[in-house]
Amino acid sequence: MNDDFLTRPLTASRKPRQRAVLRIAAAVLLAITGIQAVIWLLIAVLGGHLVEPWWLWTTGAGAALVGALSLVTGGRDGSLPSNGETR
């Protein structure tokens, strides 16, 4: 009889589709934030003065959305070891 189920940790693993959605959402957030930061810097350079960082509003809301999505889908599932070892 295989007693492996008694010794392995109980972790709720995410489905590959959920991981892909989180990675895509994070990549889109990073891309949008980068574009907004570049536009903000161009406005500052071309306008001669630094304006308030208006892009933080969308970045903060997007980060909260990605974080909430991560929590709802189970957060970290422990499928990859943190120290780089293979199972």
Side-chain angles (χ1 to χ4, degrees):
M1 182 172 177
N2 187 359
D3 292 334
D4 185 39
F5 71 94
L6 294 174
T7 58
R8 69 179 169 205
L10 295 175
T11 57
S13 63
R14 275 192 232 153
K15 296 177 184 174
R17 181 177 290 183
Q18 290 173 339
R19 279 187 233 137
V21 168
L22 281 175
R23 286 183 185 212
I24 291 170
V28 168
L29 174 66
L30 286 174
I32 290 172
T33 299
I35 291 168
Q36 288 178 340
V38 167
I39 291 171
W40 178 68
L41 286 173
L42 283 172
I43 290 171
V45 169
L46 297 175
H49 64 281
L50 197 61
V51 296
E52 68 276 353
W54 45 265
W55 52 271
L56 287 176
W57 288 101
T58 55
T59 299
L65 182 65
V66 170
L69 187 61
S70 177
L71 286 174
V72 167
T73 60
R76 294 182 180 241
D77 64 354
S79 62
L80 295 175
S82 61
N83 59 1
E85 296 177 2
T86 57
R87 291 185 182 185

